[in-house]
Amino acid sequence: MGKNFDLPSSENKIQKFEWGYIKWLHEPKDLQVERMSAALVTFYPRKKQVKHLHAGEEQIMYVVSGKGYHRLNGDEHLISKGMVFHCPPYSIHEVVNTEDEPLEILLFYSPSKARNLSKSLTPSLERNSLCLEKLVNKDVLFETQERYASDLGICLGVYDSNHKPITSISNQPGFCRIMEQKGNKNCHSNTFSLDNLTKEKFFVFECCCNLKAVAVPVFINGFLAGYIKSGPFMINSPEKNVFEKIQSVTKTKKALDEFRKLRPVPKSRIYAVVEALNEMSISISEIVKKEFSDKIQIEYKDSVLEYPLDKEKGIIQKIKAGDREGAVEFAKQFLNELFANGYSLSQIKDAVVELLAVILRVIPGDVVSLSEIDSLRKKYRKEIWNSSDIENLAKRFYSYILDIAELCNDKLFFEERNAVIEAIECIKRNYKQKLSLEMVAQSVYLSPNYFSYLFKEQTGYNFIDYLTNVRLTEAKRLLKYTKKPIKKISEEVGYNDPSYFGMVFKRVVGMTPGQYRCKSAEEKHKKNIQCDI
């Protein structure tokens, strides 16, 4: 570990938050040997955590004392003394103390192990050619970065070995943007030496205002080609002098407002981020390997012919968006440039077939079935190779682009819409039973995170609010028109714990189930009197 990595030191044993504090009992000093960390978490009376994503870490929780509830991926569970529960990686959760006494939970964290990918690379990659920016397509690199940034919910950027940013930063907090605009040098990545990354698996350093950042190296053929940087991370609640420093540097209230949006995170979060960034580093190495072997320069008469890479990018972007006409327009420009740059018919066929393979790699498998794309690619590859002239080749090429773009458009529109419709039907059929976001997402073959986003976008409600609304709508009907006991009604609408049902009902409706039943009976009585008159 780097010398600046002071997270396990004795003065940082307790982290303080608005909702409580964490006392660290054990932390790993070397992730290659130790993985688990343990902590005792105390939640103040009637307080709750800010809902957050546990991306690359899992935890087991044991309730030492107190009572409250745990919300995991939209599913709520009562928790009390002696209970043990699990929070898996890549899940959204929060803990709420519902009592007037502290809620104490013993936590065991463990970062998710990064996948074991092959690190072998093309032997012809030489040390003097290790410029990451030249070795990998920026768009492909940015897509990889965006995927990790989105899944982990963190700020990410990729830099070369000269501290030069290769990609624009994903999820950059407003505070960091303001500090950079004000010329604060500590916000830049050159506040540490690359020697730290060459020697260590990762390096944690202080960027500014007591915030931490982490850097993970990207090695190609054993040589440092660049690094991935993530941050800022707030390890402890800020002291008063930090706010004064920000005010003196920025001279603006907006910077303070943006800084206050940052929330302290458990130190185990850093370990989980390191694991994920190591995986991302390996992925980048694999991308370099693929691109170096796939992108073969086409030589013609001892000179390198220009390849219209920008037109290739345009085709892919339009295909992903389902824009048929736009994709074909870029395809026409692609062929015209190849022809204008001196490519022979055979060389144009090589370039087009290579483009078909690129499209197969970059279209997300969760949007369109890769088997469908590959089937089309094989069909059109044969037809393109058999083309006798440029007109015939162009016709086949444009037909392929049209088919892929239409496939993406149809899948994106109908699968997303149908997935939400099926999910709503699933909720209405099964709301009386135990039901979670993960279960419904699985029933429509989507990941929980993507399903959660899609459901909110198309219905305007998050999953748990929608499920709660369905359950309470039926509960109100039963309270109003039947004489069933409240305990029975609670069970019939999916709540096994009547007290928890009552708490949810009051929070949403504004009164207890019993009060609602009385009010409904009074309104019904008044209506009957008016009818008699």
Side-chain angles (χ1 to χ4, degrees):
M1 292 186 184
K3 294 179 180 179
N4 288 359
F5 188 67
D6 57 3
L7 296 183
S9 64
S10 59
E11 61 265 29
N12 287 312
K13 286 295 183 182
I14 295 181
Q15 283 185 273
K16 297 178 181 179
F17 303 85
E18 295 175 357
W19 46 264
Y21 58 89
I22 300 178
K23 181 178 181 181
W24 292 96
L25 308 176
H26 171 76
E27 299 174 68
K29 295 182 179 180
D30 185 349
L31 289 177
Q32 302 302 314
V33 180
E34 302 177 57
R35 305 193 58 75
M36 184 171 287
S37 55
L40 181 64
V41 183
T42 301
F43 295 84
Y44 296 138
R46 302 291 176 180
K47 292 288 185 178
K48 70 174 182 177
Q49 285 176 297
V50 176
K51 185 186 299 183
H52 60 283
L53 172 70
H54 270 262
E57 60 194 289
E58 63 178 322
Q59 60 181 230
I60 296 174
M61 311 182 186
Y62 171 75
V63 183
V64 178
S65 65
K67 186 177 181 182
Y69 69 83
H70 178 228
R71 180 179 285 179
L72 178 66
N73 291 331
D75 196 16
E76 294 181 353
H77 304 273
L78 276 173
I79 55 175
S80 57
K81 181 178 179 180
M83 290 184 63
V84 177
F85 51 101
H86 176 238
C87 183
Y90 301 97
S91 57
I92 298 173
H93 90 131
E94 62 180 331
V95 176
V96 180
N97 184 355
T98 59
E99 304 299 305
D100 294 324
E101 300 294 330
L103 170 63
E104 292 184 311
I105 297 179
L106 185 61
L107 298 183
F108 297 94
Y109 291 85
S110 179
S112 300
K113 187 67 176 176
R115 59 183 178 177
N116 184 20
L117 298 176
S118 171
K119 296 183 180 179
S120 62
L121 289 170
T122 309
S124 58
L125 284 174
E126 300 294 339
R127 180 175 184 174
N128 59 9
S129 68
L130 292 183
C131 176
L132 192 56
E133 186 173 9
K134 294 180 179 179
L135 287 173
V136 63
N137 183 308
K138 280 189 179 181
D139 286 345
V140 175
L141 184 60
F142 185 67
E143 286 177 8
T144 303
Q145 172 185 303
E146 284 279 89
R147 184 174 71 250
Y148 278 88
S150 176
D151 287 347
L152 295 167
I154 58 176
C155 172
L156 271 186
V158 181
Y159 299 77
D160 66 16
S161 55
N162 295 315
H163 293 294
K164 178 185 175 183
I166 300 175
T167 60
S168 57
I169 298 175
S170 300
N171 293 341
Q172 186 179 33
F175 172 72
C176 296
R177 289 195 295 270
I178 293 173
M179 293 298 281
E180 286 188 356
Q181 291 167 5
K182 296 297 179 180
N184 184 32
K185 295 181 179 180
N186 287 338
C187 278
H188 296 282
S189 303
N190 56 6
T191 54
F192 67 92
S193 168
L194 290 180
D195 290 340
N196 299 118
L197 287 181
T198 304
K199 298 173 183 177
E200 308 291 343
K201 300 293 184 182
F202 65 96
F203 188 71
V204 177
F205 58 97
E206 185 169 316
C207 47
C208 71
C209 303
N210 300 129
L211 299 173
K212 302 287 185 181
V214 60
V216 169
V218 177
F219 288 105
I220 306 295
N221 261 20
F223 298 105
L224 182 67
Y227 61 91
I228 309 162
K229 176 194 168 189
S230 178
F233 298 101
M234 183 183 290
I235 304 304
N236 282 308
S237 298
E239 301 294 334
K240 184 179 179 180
N241 64 340
V242 172
F243 294 99
E244 294 172 351
K245 179 180 177 182
I246 294 171
Q247 183 66 39
S248 65
V249 171
T250 63
K251 311 296 184 184
T252 173
K253 181 178 179 296
K254 187 175 181 181
L256 287 172
D257 293 339
E258 291 295 332
F259 184 79
R260 289 189 178 98
K261 292 180 182 179
L262 303 174
R263 290 287 183 270
V265 298
K267 286 181 280 186
S268 63
R269 174 68 162 151
I270 303 293
Y271 306 132
V273 169
V274 168
E275 289 284 355
L277 296 192
N278 279 328
E279 180 181 342
M280 180 178 168
S281 175
I282 295 172
S283 297
I284 292 174
S285 298
E286 292 294 305
I287 291 171
V288 171
K289 178 182 176 181
K290 274 190 176 181
E291 293 219 347
F292 191 82
S293 60
D294 291 345
K295 293 288 184 183
I296 302 172
Q297 291 183 324
I298 302 173
E299 295 187 1
Y300 180 67
K301 293 183 178 180
D302 297 327
S303 63
V304 179
L305 300 175
E306 294 184 14
Y307 181 87
L309 186 60
D310 58 331
K311 303 303 184 295
E312 175 187 286
K313 294 176 183 177
I315 292 171
I316 291 169
Q317 289 171 354
K318 295 298 182 182
I319 286 176
K320 286 183 176 181
D323 183 355
R324 299 167 74 250
E325 290 73 21
V328 171
E329 180 57 34
F330 271 105
K332 290 178 180 178
Q333 295 176 25
F334 180 86
L335 283 188
N336 287 339
E337 280 202 30
L338 291 177
F339 189 79
N341 290 337
Y343 279 62
S344 66
L345 178 61
S346 176
Q347 291 169 332
I348 292 176
K349 288 180 181 180
D350 285 338
V352 170
V353 169
E354 170 61 17
L355 177 57
L356 304 190
V358 171
I359 292 173
L360 175 64
R361 289 201 303 270
V362 300
I363 299 296
D366 57 349
V367 174
V368 180
S369 167
L370 294 184
S371 61
E372 291 179 282
I373 298 178
D374 192 41
S375 177
L376 285 173
R377 182 179 69 88
K378 289 176 180 177
K379 170 191 171 184
Y380 281 103
R381 181 178 62 181
K382 183 177 180 180
E383 293 182 2
I384 286 169
W385 276 120
N386 291 334
S387 299
S388 56
D389 53 53
I390 190 66
E391 289 78 16
N392 191 262
L393 184 153
K395 182 179 178 181
R396 299 290 185 272
F397 180 43
Y398 301 156
S399 295
Y400 173 79
I401 298 299
L402 279 171
D403 286 348
I404 294 297
E406 187 169 9
L407 191 62
C408 283
N409 186 53
D410 290 344
K411 292 287 184 180
L412 283 169
F413 180 77
F414 290 106
E415 288 191 4
E416 289 182 352
R417 188 185 67 177
N418 290 341
V420 173
I421 291 174
E422 290 175 16
I424 290 173
E425 292 175 351
C426 177
I427 291 170
K428 291 181 177 179
R429 286 195 309 269
N430 301 290
Y431 72 89
K432 297 181 180 181
Q433 306 170 20
K434 180 181 178 182
L435 201 61
S436 67
L437 180 146
E438 191 173 34
M439 293 164 63
V440 177
Q442 186 176 9
S443 73
V444 293
Y445 307 102
L446 294 176
S447 69
N449 287 340
Y450 183 64
F451 169 72
S452 178
Y453 161 80
L454 201 60
F455 192 89
K456 177 67 179 292
E457 183 181 54
Q458 295 197 20
T459 67
Y461 297 93
N462 61 40
F463 171 81
I464 188 62
D465 288 342
Y466 188 91
L467 174 61
T468 301
N469 183 58
V470 171
R471 285 172 167 170
L472 295 190
T473 297
E474 176 61 9
K476 287 191 287 187
R477 188 189 70 81
L478 293 173
L479 288 166
K480 187 173 182 178
Y481 297 108
T482 74
K483 295 182 179 180
K484 292 181 178 181
I486 292 176
K487 181 180 179 180
K488 180 67 174 176
I489 292 175
S490 170
E491 294 173 350
E492 288 189 4
V493 297
Y495 294 97
N496 293 327
D497 188 327
S499 63
Y500 180 64
F501 165 68
M503 182 181 71
V504 174
F505 192 99
K506 185 175 181 180
R507 187 182 73 216
V508 176
V509 182
M511 61 184 76
T512 66
Q515 290 170 337
Y516 181 87
R517 170 169 273 175
C518 291
K519 183 180 178 181
S520 298
E522 289 173 2
E523 290 175 351
K524 186 177 179 181
H525 180 66
K526 289 179 181 178
K527 186 176 180 180
N528 290 337
I529 293 174
Q530 290 174 352
C531 290
D532 291 340
I533 294 173

